[in-house]
Amino acid sequence: WASLADSPWPALHMDMQRTGRSKYTGPQQGVLFASISGSRIATGITMGNDSVFYFATTWPPKLIAAKIDGSILWQFDLYVSETGTTPMVGYDGTIYVSNGSPGIITAINPDGSVKWECSSSSGVYNRGIGIGKDGTIYAVEYGSSLIAISPNGELLWRINDDNFAWGYRVNLAFSPDGNILYLHGNKIGGVEITLIAFNLITKTTKWKFGGKLLDNGPVINSQGNIFVLVQDDTTNYQIANLYCLDPDGNVKWKYKHTAGQSYYGQDPTIDKDGNIYFATDTLYSLDYNGNLRWKRGLLGNQNFSPLACDNQGTVYLGTINQTNNNVLAITKDGNLKWILPIDGPPAESPAITSNGTLIYTIWTPGEVVFIK
């Protein structure tokens, strides 16, 4: 994806297909070796070409640049009530961040200076804004308007469609060729739209899928198949389906499960062999065709963040339970590799660095933790 930084983790959930998959090996020991304390954090971690990483605090709202040793390089004031949009890093090291309300997309140079600002007509509250292969920035404004911004910060176009969802659950994703943008759907006439495929060439909706709220982000594999985890049984909210859709929006297969209550932001992940992983109170592993490989309980824990996996297929989960919070590492065969207590609930998607460090943000008390 030429417009993204050639870094270990340049965007929310790793890439624009939101796979959550790293090309590096993650932490082997499960040892917390450093942390950064701060105010509340609602975003994930992203990394630049120079291994500097970025996250944003909610109050006071700041974009923060730091090093793996825990030292802060600079802080940029966002001048909003709060932000939950994970920063995104372009190929040249430019950091893109949404300021929420009053609705400003800001491009920031690696030294912390402003490159450009583009004001929207209303607030931009997206978990993850997107960047096309040509460097065009995409976001959904308050009020269901999809906007496109040039690499130079000019507003190219705005399309308003009540079918487009616009809140913090929105995490924009792309087809492998970059021509299709996947958006969360809105509730129209009392019926939810799960997912929308929008053709960026014709600027028209290609298809719509589903009739239940999608609280997680879509995940797209290398063949262009789309995975969505939907709690779509109206009679039993313990029952949900993981759907695999083909590029035309048809259901290739679905896997019905009873994995407990679903939470916001529990995005699945895909390993390098095409196996799919998702979790609530149980971690499931399915093969490419939707067959169950294995499942395992999470020792009384409830998954509370997007899943990430490394190049060995080890899956990392940030979890909560009634008494404490933990990070778990589960091998590709379903065995517990390690479990590590943390001080609070995980905020968003972690990042895996090139030297095998796992970096998590913690919502409250407001920490960034480094695990080896």
Side-chain angles (χ1 to χ4, degrees):
W1 205 268
S3 58
L4 278 177
D6 184 20
S7 78
W9 206 274
L12 176 67
H13 219 209
M14 174 52 195
D15 49 39
M16 285 298 104
Q17 291 166 235
R18 309 301 189 184
T19 63
R21 179 176 62 236
S22 172
K23 62 182 179 181
Y24 300 104
T25 302
Q28 300 299 298
Q29 302 171 47
V31 174
L32 180 68
F33 70 92
S35 65
I36 298 173
S37 297
S39 55
R40 289 184 175 182
I41 303 168
T43 74
I45 294 287
T46 49
M47 301 187 69
N49 299 321
D50 52 3
S51 293
V52 172
F53 70 90
Y54 306 94
F55 63 97
T57 56
T58 61
W59 189 258
K62 294 178 182 291
L63 174 69
I64 296 176
K67 290 185 175 182
I68 301 300
D69 61 9
S71 59
I72 303 295
L73 292 179
W74 49 259
Q75 302 183 45
F76 180 85
D77 291 324
L78 294 175
Y79 302 108
V80 293
S81 57
E82 63 180 43
T83 183
T85 304
T86 296
M88 179 174 64
V89 187
Y91 76 97
D92 59 355
T94 301
I95 307 103
Y96 301 95
V97 63
S98 160
N99 290 36
S101 180
I104 301 172
I105 306 293
T106 305
I108 301 169
N109 293 308
D111 63 1
S113 62
V114 175
K115 185 173 184 177
W116 52 255
E117 291 183 336
C118 182
S119 297
S120 73
S121 61
S122 57
V124 178
Y125 297 95
N126 301 170
R127 277 182 64 207
I129 59 177
I131 187 169
K133 288 190 172 182
D134 62 355
T136 301
I137 309 297
Y138 298 94
V140 182
E141 299 174 318
Y142 180 96
S144 301
S145 290
L146 175 64
I147 59 173
I149 301 168
S150 78
N152 297 321
E154 301 174 52
L155 181 65
L156 297 174
W157 47 261
R158 174 184 286 112
I159 295 175
N160 183 264
D161 187 332
D162 289 342
N163 290 283
F164 299 156
W166 50 264
Y168 269 136
R169 62 190 175 92
V170 173
N171 183 18
L172 301 180
F174 290 80
S175 60
D177 62 10
N179 293 332
I180 305 299
L181 180 66
Y182 297 104
L183 307 97
H184 288 70
N186 235 338
K187 180 181 285 187
I188 303 295
V191 178
E192 296 279 359
I193 300 169
T194 301
L195 192 70
I196 296 171
F198 185 83
N199 189 314
L200 291 169
I201 306 301
T202 63
K203 298 181 179 62
T204 57
T205 293
K206 182 179 180 182
W207 48 258
K208 293 181 285 187
F209 168 77
K212 291 295 289 184
L213 180 74
L214 179 63
D215 264 338
N216 310 288
V219 174
I220 296 87
N221 71 7
S222 299
Q223 288 71 42
N225 299 312
I226 307 104
F227 301 91
V228 286
L229 184 60
V230 186
Q231 207 158 2
D232 56 358
D233 189 317
T234 58
T235 61
N236 185 346
Y237 287 96
Q238 296 294 309
I239 297 176
N241 285 290
L242 178 74
Y243 287 91
C244 176
L245 311 177
D246 70 18
D248 293 318
N250 304 306
V251 176
K252 291 190 68 173
W253 52 259
K254 66 178 181 178
Y255 183 83
K256 185 177 181 180
H257 62 93
T258 55
Q261 183 180 356
S262 178
Y263 283 95
Y264 163 88
Q266 293 173 317
D267 306 14
T269 189
I270 307 174
D271 71 18
K272 66 180 182 181
D273 298 320
N275 300 309
I276 320 301
Y277 303 85
F278 67 94
T280 49
D281 65 1
T282 301
L283 175 62
Y284 288 80
S285 174
L286 309 181
D287 68 17
Y288 179 81
N289 296 309
N291 302 307
L292 180 67
R293 298 175 64 236
W294 50 261
K295 64 179 180 178
R296 68 161 297 145
L298 298 179
L299 306 175
N301 292 273
Q302 172 78 39
N303 180 46
F304 201 67
S305 68
L307 303 184
C309 69
D310 68 9
N311 63 0
Q312 296 182 345
T314 300
V315 178
Y316 301 93
L317 309 90
T319 67
I320 60 173
N321 62 33
Q322 292 182 343
T323 57
N324 58 12
N325 309 276
N326 298 284
V327 176
L328 284 73
I330 309 292
T331 69
K332 67 178 298 182
D333 298 319
N335 300 312
L336 179 67
K337 191 178 185 74
W338 50 257
I339 182 169
L340 174 70
I342 54 177
D343 290 337
E348 248 292 359
S349 176
I352 297 172
T353 72
S354 59
N355 71 350
T357 299
L358 182 69
I359 310 176
Y360 257 103
T361 53
I362 297 177
W363 161 240
T364 180
E367 272 188 308
V368 179
V369 295
F370 304 83
I371 302 168
K372 65 180 180 181

